[in-house]
Amino acid sequence: SELYGNGFTYAYRLRDDPRVDRSDIAKRLRDHFFDVVVYASVHRGLPYFDVVREHYGYDEIAFVDGEDEHGWSNFSVGLPAVGHYFMRELPDGCPPDIEVGEGFFSGG
């Protein structure tokens, strides 16, 4: 039988761990409780993004863009200026000819 995605996929998900306190995330972000914030799927939502931008610096924020050929959009093109941006599949013309200030595109 063929292996879907050449084996680069996963099944199931982690079970909920009752020892992990998931209450009042916004307050924890404001208090800088976490060392880093990683958005594991930028095209599926950025919860608490305004709070994270206000309380975390560039080197404390990471974005993972692992979608199949999602490409650059008005939404994602500015994220490299906010934190480290990891893209799995680089579309043609990447990086686009844009100016975003500091961050990945300026070597900062």
Side-chain angles (χ1 to χ4, degrees):
S1 75
E2 268 188 55
L3 187 61
Y4 176 78
N6 294 318
F8 291 96
T9 188
Y10 61 91
Y12 311 110
R13 61 183 222 194
L14 297 175
R15 291 189 178 105
D16 193 24
D17 187 340
R19 297 172 295 176
V20 177
D21 182 2
R22 290 180 171 82
S23 65
D24 211 357
I25 299 299
K27 180 183 183 324
R28 288 174 173 211
L29 289 167
R30 286 190 299 274
D31 293 343
H32 211 281
F33 177 84
F34 306 101
D35 293 329
V36 297
V37 176
V38 177
Y39 286 101
S41 184
V42 298
H43 295 284
R44 297 177 192 215
L46 299 173
Y48 308 104
F49 187 58
D50 291 337
V51 177
V52 169
R53 286 185 64 185
E54 185 176 341
H55 296 280
Y56 287 81
Y58 178 86
D59 286 330
E60 299 169 315
I61 303 171
F63 304 98
V64 178
D65 184 345
E67 302 295 324
D68 293 331
E69 287 286 341
H70 214 300
W72 291 103
S73 65
N74 290 339
F75 159 76
S76 62
V77 76
L79 293 179
V82 177
H84 296 276
Y85 195 95
F86 300 90
M87 181 181 273
R88 185 187 76 198
E89 295 190 18
L90 300 175
D92 292 338
C94 183
D97 188 19
I98 59 164
E99 291 185 30
V100 293
E102 297 181 7
F104 176 79
F105 293 113
S106 66

